[in-house]
Amino acid sequence: MRRTISRKLLLGTIAATLIAGGSVAVIAAGDTSPRKKAHAATHRDAVRARVVARSADVAAAASYLGLSKAQLGARLRSGQTLTRIAAGIAGRSPAGLVDAIAAARAARLTAALAAGRLTPAREHRLLAGVRKRVSAAVSRHRRGAAARRPVLSAAASYLGVSLAQLRATLRRGQTLAQIAEATPGRSAAGLIAALESERRAILAERMSKLQKQLTTLVNRRLAPAG
């Protein structure tokens, strides 16, 4: 009986806290030590830091590409990589985008060092690999159905609609050409050019990777025969 009452009191307390808009960390009996609480706080801080860092990267990328954060977010959600987006914008390039994001990250590390949040050794280690990490992030493909449908993703981006909206219109029986001609400021010819540009960006990305692999292969030394 006492156990049932205690359990109801605990659940009631949690519910009341949630209704009040607070966040609850439910810790079992014996887990209320300062060490456990410190670990939970550290984890929350790490999660917040990652969210802030990703937001800052998006802001730096959007600024370089001449897009709003919302516009860039829509393109990323449609399945495009940052590499493809940069390659499709006049006067911009994947390499320039990497430089912009890397510079923004380096500036944040310098600020963290000045504020005492990083040691000089830690800042040096992070700076040493910042460009490599940014390059990987810029060329990384987003997972999901959109990433597996690059044609529709590129078409949606050109037409200025979401992938879901484009699919819904296609399901009503219209072709991509008809949708493009019915969209103000767009055309079937323009859509074809956009899709061609998208394909060229994909091929360029693949050729770049192939060139690196072949360069590594032809410069590899064979181990001497034992």
Side-chain angles (χ1 to χ4, degrees):
M1 184 67 176
R2 289 180 180 175
R3 186 176 299 173
T4 302
I5 293 173
S6 298
R7 188 175 180 181
K8 287 182 178 179
L9 286 173
L10 176 60
L11 292 175
T13 302
I14 293 171
T17 307
L18 288 173
I19 291 170
S23 61
V24 179
V26 180
I27 305 174
D31 289 342
T32 56
S33 65
R35 184 177 179 181
K36 289 286 184 180
K37 291 180 180 179
H39 177 75
T42 300
H43 176 70
R44 286 195 300 271
D45 290 343
V47 171
R48 290 193 192 101
R50 285 195 293 271
V51 171
V52 170
R54 283 195 294 268
S55 178
D57 284 348
V58 171
S63 177
Y64 171 77
L65 296 169
L67 302 170
S68 69
K69 290 176 67 174
Q71 289 172 325
L72 178 57
R75 292 195 180 192
L76 290 172
R77 285 191 296 274
S78 75
Q80 296 183 63
T81 64
L82 285 169
T83 293
R84 294 180 193 173
I85 296 171
I89 296 178
R92 296 293 181 260
S93 68
L97 178 58
V98 170
D99 288 340
I101 298 176
R105 285 193 183 185
R108 295 201 301 273
L109 290 173
T110 301
L113 175 65
R117 296 192 301 272
L118 282 180
T119 64
R122 174 72 171 164
E123 185 215 21
H124 179 74
R125 285 196 300 272
L126 291 174
L127 281 174
V130 68
R131 185 175 177 82
K132 182 178 180 180
R133 291 192 298 274
V134 170
S135 295
V138 166
S139 61
R140 186 177 300 128
H141 287 274
R142 292 179 64 85
R143 298 183 182 275
R148 295 191 294 270
R149 295 173 174 81
V151 172
L152 285 185
S153 298
S157 178
Y158 170 77
L159 296 168
V161 298
S162 69
L163 193 58
Q165 290 173 320
L166 179 58
R167 285 197 187 117
T169 306
L170 289 170
R171 280 194 291 269
R172 289 196 290 269
Q174 294 189 53
T175 65
L176 285 172
Q178 289 171 334
I179 297 171
E181 291 294 341
T183 302
R186 297 291 183 263
S187 65
L191 177 57
I192 291 172
L195 295 178
E196 181 182 354
S197 177
E198 174 76 6
R199 286 296 181 179
R200 287 182 183 277
I202 293 172
L203 290 174
E205 190 175 338
R206 290 176 179 172
M207 289 301 296
S208 176
K209 290 180 180 178
L210 176 61
Q211 185 178 27
K212 290 178 181 177
Q213 291 170 352
L214 293 175
T215 301
T216 300
L217 178 64
V218 300
N219 287 290
R220 181 178 299 159
R221 292 180 182 275
L222 294 177

